[in-house]
Amino acid sequence: QGCVFGYIYNMDRGGISWLPIPTDHGRLGFGRINISGDGEYITYTAMKSLRNAIASKQSYVFDRSKGIFESLNIAFNGALGNGNTYGAVMDVSGRYVAFVSESSNLVPEDTNGFADVFWLDRQTREVVRVSTGLDGEPADGDSGILAPGSGLHSLDISSDGQQLVYL
């Protein structure tokens, strides 16, 4: 399996290292890339073409010391999510990740049919859909994206991972 290489520049050491990304993750390109405070974890969104020529967007966390890629598009029952996932950002520790997903099976009873913002605790595997109305009801429109289908997102997370901001 081939790789596409991104680059990581360390300001303290003045050195550059490679970020190996499997080519099957991003044959059509890459979106937002985010790095934890210590540089150990990296989130990114990759675009690839599926068998039916429809582009798929998926977000991953890469653990640099272990060389492991973790998909963020995992349903509550352990299956793969059934939609696109993009715009991933993480807190400074790399423990908490926020992302946008069009999947309807990441949490039980996600029936609104819109892109939602999710928060993931990578340590406990807790996933929370945060894009609800003030009354707790499901959102009645896409959340965390600027233009449906574009992959342009409007999402960020605080340094401690406990606050998210999105449109």
Side-chain angles (χ1 to χ4, degrees):
Q1 169 176 319
C3 288
V4 174
F5 289 99
Y7 302 94
I8 304 162
Y9 189 86
N10 185 308
M11 297 302 290
D12 289 336
R13 291 192 300 257
I16 195 164
S17 58
W18 285 1
L19 168 62
I21 301 171
T23 53
D24 66 340
H25 281 197
R27 289 192 176 118
L28 298 179
F30 297 91
R32 185 176 196 163
I33 297 176
N34 185 253
I35 191 166
S36 63
D38 63 1
E40 181 69 21
Y41 305 103
I42 295 171
T43 62
Y44 66 93
T45 298
M47 295 176 285
K48 63 182 178 180
S49 178
L50 301 177
R51 281 179 235 147
N52 56 5
I54 295 174
S56 168
K57 299 175 205 74
Q58 299 299 320
S59 289
Y60 300 90
V61 174
F62 177 58
D63 182 325
R64 292 177 64 198
S65 67
K66 295 179 182 174
I68 296 173
F69 295 88
E70 171 189 347
S71 174
L72 296 177
N73 198 20
I74 303 297
F76 67 91
N77 63 2
L80 287 176
N82 58 9
N84 291 318
T85 301
Y86 43 89
V89 292
M90 74 177 89
D91 76 315
V92 71
S93 74
R95 175 178 175 174
Y96 304 107
V97 180
F99 57 94
V100 176
S101 182
E102 297 167 3
S103 294
S104 63
N105 61 344
L106 300 188
V107 295
E109 300 182 29
D110 184 355
T111 58
N112 67 351
F114 295 105
D116 292 306
V117 173
F118 293 89
W119 174 90
L120 166 68
D121 180 335
R122 294 181 56 241
Q123 195 170 81
T124 66
R125 304 311 302 166
E126 178 184 12
V127 176
V128 176
R129 180 178 59 174
V130 299
S131 53
T132 60
L134 296 176
D135 58 1
E137 290 295 313
D140 60 359
D142 289 319
S143 299
I145 58 176
L146 297 177
S150 71
L152 297 175
H153 47 81
S154 61
L155 172 63
D156 206 357
I157 192 168
S158 63
S159 62
D160 67 358
Q162 300 304 300
Q163 297 184 70
L164 282 66
V165 59
Y166 60 94
L167 297 178

